Amino acid sequence: MAAGYRVKTIKLESGERLPLLLSKETGLPLWDPTLFILTTLRATNLAANTLEQAARAVMVAHQIFSYLGIDLNERMLKGRLLSLAEIEALVKLAALRQEELDALLETQTTEKKTARVASFKRVTKRSVSKGPKGVNSETKTIRLIYIRNYIGWLVSGRRLKLDVNHKHYEALNEAAQVVIGNINERIPERDFESSGRQGVSPKVRARILEVIEPDSPENPWTNKHVRARNQLIFLWLLFLGVRNGELLSIYVQDVNLRAGEVAVVRRPDNPEEVRKNAPLVKTRSRLLALGPELSELTRAYLIGLRSKIKGARRHPYLFVATGTGLPLSQPALNKLFRELRGKIPGLPDDLSPHVLRHTWNDDFSALMDERGVPPEEEEKMRRQAMGWSPNSKMAATYTKRHVQRKSNEASLAMQAKAFTSKKKKTS
């Protein structure tokens, strides 16, 4: 929980989940952040997880402003915003982890406001040296984008209250352009190809498939339902390439065993969703094929095991918890992967649902090469299977390993050719 603030997601009667930034002191929502989320973000039908991401970024902004002794509303009344030094401090502090930001706020009682900007490098260096080295580049980028937008929104709201001839009308506009421009220059570029996450190797994939067999002596789970359910989960992730949120959002009625299909359906603000952190279908709805073997395993789980758990009859979700029959939660899914990694030596430390999504894309790339499918057609097929929009650039993230392997193969072939030619000349 962040020092001074907390983000709480409330569930409305319609089923919509709305994240709010609250003051820990009063327990009430902060006015400006709430209005920003409602009017700027929620109005564009963004997912609840995205709204929460924005709320946490705004929370970070408020923490930083509190530490630096900055009251933006008071400054706007005077026609000014942030100095260059304060922008630099904002950008650097936004790179800290939440626990590091909390530690900084705890120093407020001993740090003088006038010295905070000047001493911030010393304090942050001390804080970072004791723990993690800050958030990753992607998280910092997301934070700064929302903080930038929040500042711009505050300024626009203030200017709307002023007459166009007011002395602060243009001053605030110019100040906002300077602040936003400086923040933009310091936002890390979002390079989708820079991600180091890749799919597992064929050897590791074979090892996973071997271990998750319900009758395998190495299977880390003992309960019959858990073994069958977990095997099916791994197979769905590995052979369908679905996201973890999509997997946990599947209804029983979405599965058509006779046709060998499963519908991945977007259900934003679903009133039937009872989980606190609701899994979401982030990508487009789509229809995926289930082969005979996967269909049969799914049928066996549905009829032979899930149907016998009483709590499972009270909701429509496919994958359920063993004891209660409640919809399987995201923490439970993550635990499944931790248990497998902990019991089976040699599995990647980062083995997760998303790594299996990368693995599906590796296998898909290899199959497309084998069949000689043109790149343009391959892209269309991949976007359909993954649920991406026609203009999505996400394919680059998931084809990195395959492209890298082909590039290395070409490089080795060139080297071999060059050395073969050299040997012929010297012989």
Side-chain angles (χ1 to χ4, degrees):
M1 187 178 292
Y5 309 95
R6 70 187 183 100
V7 173
K8 179 180 180 180
T9 298
I10 62 173
K11 184 178 179 180
L12 306 180
E13 290 185 3
S14 64
E16 178 185 0
R17 285 163 171 77
L18 180 63
L20 298 173
L21 178 56
L22 310 181
S23 165
K24 284 175 60 178
E25 183 179 355
T26 65
L28 298 175
L30 274 64
W31 176 259
D32 285 332
T34 301
L35 203 57
F36 171 67
I37 290 172
L38 288 174
T39 61
T40 304
L41 304 178
R42 177 174 174 262
T44 59
N45 295 321
L46 293 177
N49 286 358
T50 303
L51 296 181
E52 181 177 346
Q53 201 173 44
R56 294 193 179 280
V58 173
M59 178 179 69
V60 167
H62 276 263
Q63 286 186 296
I64 294 173
F65 293 147
S66 175
Y67 173 71
L68 297 176
I70 296 171
D71 186 330
L72 277 184
N73 286 317
E74 181 181 320
R75 291 198 178 186
M76 286 190 293
L77 290 174
K78 299 177 181 179
R80 63 191 188 92
L81 291 174
L82 304 174
S83 68
L84 183 58
E86 289 168 338
I87 294 172
E88 291 285 359
L90 170 65
V91 172
K92 291 180 180 179
L93 287 167
L96 297 182
R97 293 179 182 267
Q98 189 60 64
E99 56 266 29
E100 296 170 326
L101 285 169
D102 293 345
L104 284 180
L105 285 177
E106 291 171 2
T107 67
Q108 280 190 314
T109 55
T110 57
E111 294 285 341
K112 294 181 179 180
K113 287 185 178 182
T114 54
R116 282 179 184 150
V117 175
S119 65
F120 122 86
K121 289 184 179 180
R122 172 177 56 81
V123 178
T124 53
K125 182 178 180 181
R126 181 177 70 242
S127 175
V128 173
S129 66
K130 293 182 179 180
K133 301 298 183 181
V135 298
N136 58 41
S137 177
E138 178 71 6
T139 299
K140 181 180 179 181
T141 294
I142 292 170
R143 281 181 176 179
L144 290 175
I145 287 173
Y146 283 121
I147 291 172
R148 175 201 66 192
N149 294 348
Y150 179 58
I151 292 173
W153 176 83
L154 287 172
V155 173
S156 296
R158 175 58 187 164
R159 292 181 73 227
L160 286 172
K161 297 177 183 179
L162 301 177
D163 186 273
V164 292
N165 296 318
H166 193 283
K167 62 179 181 179
H168 293 158
Y169 188 83
E170 283 302 324
L172 280 174
N173 184 48
E174 293 174 5
Q177 289 182 9
V178 170
V179 169
I180 291 173
N182 275 278
I183 292 177
N184 284 339
E185 291 175 358
R186 291 159 177 78
I187 293 177
E189 292 186 8
R190 304 178 75 175
D191 184 0
F192 290 111
E193 294 189 26
S194 65
S195 172
R197 181 175 289 171
Q198 298 177 343
V200 300
S201 67
K203 182 178 180 180
V204 170
R205 180 173 61 249
R207 179 68 174 140
I208 292 172
L209 293 175
E210 176 186 20
V211 170
I212 64 173
E213 283 288 340
D215 58 353
S216 169
E218 294 183 283
N219 193 302
W221 304 288
T222 56
N223 182 276
K224 183 179 180 181
H225 168 261
V226 174
R227 285 192 169 198
R229 182 201 64 192
N230 290 356
Q231 181 194 34
L232 194 59
I233 284 174
F234 271 94
L235 294 179
W236 272 48
L237 292 170
L238 193 57
F239 297 149
L240 300 181
V242 292
R243 292 178 177 271
N244 52 15
E246 295 172 338
L247 178 89
L248 298 177
S249 299
I250 295 292
Y251 279 8
V252 171
Q253 68 187 44
D254 294 334
V255 182
N256 187 336
L257 294 173
R258 180 174 297 180
E261 297 173 339
V262 55
V264 179
V265 183
R266 292 191 77 246
R267 297 183 176 97
D269 305 323
N270 184 6
E272 293 185 288
E273 179 58 73
V274 296
R275 287 165 286 193
K276 182 178 180 181
N277 296 315
L280 298 173
V281 177
K282 296 175 63 177
T283 48
R284 290 184 168 189
S285 298
R286 59 200 185 279
L287 201 62
L288 300 177
L290 295 174
E293 295 83 0
L294 200 53
S295 291
E296 184 53 40
L297 287 172
T298 303
R299 183 194 304 276
Y301 170 71
L302 267 172
I303 299 174
L305 295 168
R306 184 190 182 280
S307 63
K308 297 179 180 180
I309 299 177
K310 291 183 179 180
R313 302 171 187 171
R314 300 171 185 167
H315 63 81
Y317 293 98
L318 174 64
F319 293 105
V320 303
T322 301
T324 63
L326 292 173
L328 193 68
S329 67
Q330 184 66 60
L333 180 62
N334 294 337
K335 181 182 178 183
L336 180 163
F337 278 82
R338 287 199 307 272
E339 289 173 339
L340 189 67
R341 294 196 307 264
K343 296 290 181 66
I344 307 301
L347 295 184
D349 293 336
D350 66 344
L351 182 64
S352 66
H354 206 64
V355 167
L356 296 187
R357 184 169 164 89
H358 278 271
T359 305
W360 183 94
N361 276 276
D362 289 344
D363 294 344
F364 182 80
S365 296
L367 182 62
M368 293 300 99
D369 281 354
E370 180 183 321
R371 294 186 174 181
V373 177
E376 298 79 9
E377 188 64 23
E378 177 184 343
E379 285 296 306
K380 290 180 182 178
M381 294 167 65
R382 192 189 302 273
R383 285 196 291 264
Q384 164 61 28
M386 294 288 96
W388 298 324
S389 72
N391 299 320
S392 174
K393 297 181 180 179
M394 286 300 296
T397 302
Y398 293 91
T399 57
K400 179 182 178 182
R401 181 189 180 117
H402 187 69
V403 172
Q404 186 179 66
R405 180 179 61 78
K406 290 177 66 176
S407 174
N408 287 338
E409 288 176 354
S411 177
L412 290 173
M414 291 167 63
Q415 293 174 41
K417 182 178 180 180
F419 279 101
T420 300
S421 177
K422 182 178 180 181
K423 287 179 182 178
K424 288 181 179 180
K425 289 182 179 180
T426 55
S427 59

